[in-house]
C-alpha cells in the first residue's frame, strides 16, 4: 500500500480530487531484452517488481523530466516478436524468373542438310531474366539445341562431337548441334517471350530413322529460377538419307514394291509355292499349305497424312514370273458408311484405275467421304 507522507492521509481517497503530486516510475529490467538491444539478461527473463518510488511534493514536479510527469503505471516488459511463443515469422516470397522453351520445325529432314528451327523462350516468373545482350554473361541465359534418340533431354550443358575427337557429321546421343547454341540472347520481362530462328544442322552420318530435336533453356545454368525442372522440350523429326545417297536393296530384291498383304494374309507368310499356313478364324482349325482360291484381293497401306495437295496418286504394276512389268488395271474402291435419318447406305468411291497425265494411276483414299464426287455408287 501507499503510506501517507508528512502526516497526510493516503493519496487515493475516492471523495477527494487527486493531489498535485508526481509519480516517478521506472521500467522493469525486463525491457533490456527488446529487439536490437542484444539478448535479455537474467533479470530480463525473470523480471522482479521495481521498487516503489517515494512521492515528491507537488512543488517539485516542475523539476522532474516531462516524460515522467503525471501518474504512470509500471511499464510491461518489452518482448521481441520472435520470442512470442507459437508465432512463426513470415518471410517475403522470393521473386525469381522461370524459363520455359518450345520448338517449331518441320517434321522431316535429310541428313547433311540444315533444318530451319524456331525457338521460343518464355519467362513465367515474377522478375525479368537477363540475356547476354544486356549481361553480365555469368547471370544471363543461353539455349542449347541437341539431337537425341528419345524425348528425354538432359538438363546439362551439351557438347559438340568435334570436342570429343569426332566431326560435325558424326552423331552422338544428346550432342550439341553444330551452331545450335543460342548465345546472343535477349532479356525477357515477366510473362513475355522472345523468339529465335536458326538452322539446325543434321549430321551427314546419322542413320535414317526417327529422332528428337531437343532444346534446353539456361543451358549454362546461370539463372536462379523458381522452377528448375521445366527448362527442356523436344519434338520428333523423321530423318532420311542425305540427298544423292543411293538406297541399298536387300540381297535378291530387284525392286521395292508397295503391297504389304494379299487379302488378309501378309506377304511374308506366303511361301514360294504360293501356298500359306494359317488358322481359320471361325473354326479355329489350323490350315497347312492352303491355297488362296480363284481370286486374289489386294490391300495397301500408307501414311495417314496422305493424300496431300501434291501427292494424291500412286502406281500399281505387277510382273509374272519370267515376264515383264505390266500396269495393274483391277478396279479398287473405298467403302464408306452413310446415315441419312434411319436409312443406312454404303457408298463406294472408285480409287482407280484412272488416266492421269498418260499414266494409269490409283488415288489415295480421301480423308473425307467424297459422296458428291463422280464415281460414287450406293448399295
Amino acid at each position: 500500500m501507499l503510506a501517507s507522507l508528512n502526516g497526510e492521509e493516503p493519496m487515493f481517497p475516492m471523495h477527494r480530487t487527486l493531489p498535485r503530486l508526481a509519480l516517478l516510475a521506472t521500467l522493469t529490467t525486463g525491457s533490456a531484452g527488446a529487439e536490437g538491444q542484444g539478448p535479455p539478461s537474467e533479470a530480463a527473463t525473470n523480471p522482479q517488481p521495481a521498487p516503489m518510488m517515494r512521492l515528491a511534493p507537488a512543488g517539485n514536479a516542475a523539476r522532474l523530466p516531462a516524460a515522467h510527469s503525471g501518474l504512470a503505471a509500471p511499464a510491461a516488459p518489452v518482448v521481441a516478436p520472435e520470442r512470442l511463443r507459437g508465432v512463426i515469422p513470415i518471410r517475403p516470397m522470393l521473386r525469381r524468373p522461370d524459363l520455359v522453351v518450345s520448338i517449331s520445325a518441320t517434321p522431316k529432314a535429310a541428313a547433311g542438310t540444315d533444318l530451319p528451327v524456331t525457338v521460343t523462350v518464355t519467362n513465367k516468373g515474377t522478375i525479368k531474366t537477363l540475356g547476354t545482350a544486356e549481361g553480365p554473361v555469368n547471370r544471363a541465359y543461353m539455349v542449347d539445341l541437341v539431337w537425341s534418340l528419345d524425348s528425354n533431354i538432359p538438363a546439362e550443358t551439351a557438347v559438340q562431337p568435334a570436342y570429343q575427337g569426332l566431326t560435325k557429321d558424326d552423331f552422338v546421343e544428346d550432342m550439341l548441334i553444330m551452331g545450335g547454341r543460342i548465345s546472343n540472347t535477349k532479356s525477357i520481362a515477366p510473362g513475355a517471350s522472345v523468339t529465335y530462328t536458326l538452322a539446325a544442322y543434321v549430321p551427314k552420318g546419322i542413320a535414317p530413322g526417327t529422332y528428337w530435336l531437343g532444346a534446353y533453356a539456361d543451358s549454362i545454368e546461370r539463372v536462379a529460377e523458381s522452377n528448375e525442372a521445366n527448362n527442356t522440350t523436344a519434338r520428333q523429326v523423321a530423318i532420311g538419307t542425305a540427298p544423292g545417297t543411293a538406297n541399298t536393296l536387300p540381297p535378291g530384291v530387284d525392286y521395292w514394291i508397295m503391297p504389304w498383304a494379299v487379302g488378309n494374309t501378309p506377304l511374308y507368310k506366303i511361301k514360294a509355292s504360293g501356298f500359306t499356313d494359317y488358322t481359320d478364324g471361325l473354326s479355329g482349325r489350323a490350315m497347312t499349305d492352303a491355297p488362296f482360291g480363284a481370286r486374289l484381293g489386294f490391300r495397301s497401306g500408307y501414311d495417314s497424312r496422305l493424300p496431300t495437295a501434291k501427292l494424291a496418286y500412286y502406281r500399281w504394276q505387277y510382273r509374272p514370273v519370267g515376264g515383264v512389268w505390266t500396269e495393274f488395271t483391277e478396279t479398287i474402291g473405298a467403302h464408306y458408311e452413310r446415315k441419312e435419318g434411319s436409312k443406312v447406305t454404303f457408298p463406294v468411291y472408285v480409287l482407280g484405275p484412272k488416266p492421269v497425265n498418260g499414266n494409269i494411276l490409283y488415288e489415295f483414299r480421301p480423308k473425307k467421304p467424297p459422296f458428291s464426287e463422280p464415281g460414287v455408287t450406293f448399295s
Side-chain angles (χ1 to χ4, degrees):
M1 293 181 61
L2 291 175
S4 61
L5 301 176
N6 300 324
E8 296 182 6
E9 295 181 5
M11 64 174 293
F12 294 114
M14 298 303 296
H15 63 280
R16 296 184 181 181
T17 59
L18 293 177
R20 291 178 293 175
L21 300 177
L23 180 64
L24 182 62
T26 60
L27 293 174
T28 66
T29 54
S31 62
E35 184 178 9
Q37 299 180 19
S41 63
E42 180 179 354
T45 56
N46 297 283
Q48 300 296 325
M52 190 65 68
M53 303 299 295
R54 294 182 64 83
L55 298 176
N60 294 330
R63 293 193 294 272
L64 296 175
H68 297 287
S69 62
L71 294 174
V78 179
V79 181
E82 65 270 17
R83 298 187 180 277
L84 296 177
R85 181 175 298 176
V87 176
I88 301 176
I90 299 177
R91 296 181 179 180
M93 295 182 63
L94 292 177
R95 300 180 67 238
R96 290 183 174 180
D98 181 20
L99 299 179
V100 295
V101 60
S102 62
I103 302 175
S104 176
T106 57
K108 293 183 179 181
T113 64
D114 289 325
L115 175 66
V117 179
T118 300
V119 178
T120 300
V121 183
T122 301
N123 181 8
K124 297 175 61 179
T126 54
I127 63 172
K128 181 175 74 172
T129 185
L130 294 177
T132 57
E134 185 176 351
V137 175
N138 63 349
R139 293 176 54 197
Y141 74 96
M142 296 184 188
V143 184
D144 280 0
L145 294 182
V146 302
W147 284 117
S148 177
L149 288 169
D150 53 46
S151 60
N152 183 23
I153 307 302
E156 59 186 34
T157 306
V159 178
Q160 290 184 4
Y163 298 146
Q164 303 180 24
L166 303 174
T167 71
K168 69 174 185 177
D169 285 318
D170 293 310
F171 170 75
V172 177
E173 173 69 353
D174 298 320
M175 58 174 281
L176 177 64
I177 296 173
M178 186 70 177
R181 173 163 293 157
I182 306 174
S183 57
N184 185 15
T185 57
K186 304 174 183 177
S187 298
I188 313 175
S193 300
V194 295
T195 299
Y196 305 95
T197 57
L198 66 158
Y201 181 72
V202 184
K204 192 172 183 178
I206 196 170
T210 300
Y211 295 83
W212 292 83
L213 175 64
Y216 176 28
D218 190 28
S219 57
I220 55 175
E221 300 176 356
R222 293 293 187 265
V223 179
E225 302 180 55
S226 58
N227 184 357
E228 300 284 0
N230 60 352
N231 287 27
T232 63
T233 190
R235 66 164 295 130
Q236 204 171 46
V237 179
I239 297 179
T241 56
T245 302
N247 291 319
T248 302
L249 300 177
V253 175
D254 297 324
Y255 297 89
W256 287 107
I257 58 175
M258 189 175 184
W260 177 82
V262 178
N264 291 323
T265 305
L267 293 179
Y268 64 86
K269 288 190 175 182
I270 301 176
K271 302 178 182 180
S273 61
F275 296 112
T276 185
D277 300 336
Y278 73 97
T279 300
D280 182 66
L282 295 177
S283 65
R285 181 179 176 181
M287 305 290 184
T288 303
D289 284 338
F292 283 100
R295 183 175 179 82
L296 300 179
F298 288 86
R299 178 174 297 180
S300 63
Y302 45 85
D303 195 295
S304 61
R305 287 169 290 186
L306 296 173
T308 66
K310 296 183 178 180
L311 188 59
Y313 296 91
Y314 60 94
R315 186 180 185 185
W316 275 101
Q317 287 184 310
Y318 69 94
R319 185 180 66 172
V321 176
V324 296
W325 287 100
T326 306
E327 297 289 347
F328 186 73
T329 57
E330 184 75 14
T331 300
I332 295 180
H335 295 256
Y336 299 90
E337 178 182 350
R338 184 181 187 182
K339 295 182 179 180
E340 295 178 300
S342 60
K343 183 180 179 181
V344 179
T345 57
F346 300 93
V348 179
Y349 176 63
V350 176
L351 299 174
K354 296 183 177 181
V356 179
N357 296 331
N359 296 306
I360 304 299
L361 303 180
Y362 290 82
E363 185 179 355
F364 287 108
R365 179 188 176 111
K367 292 184 174 65
K368 294 183 179 180
F371 296 136
S372 60
E373 296 291 329
V376 177
T377 60
F378 294 87
S379 58

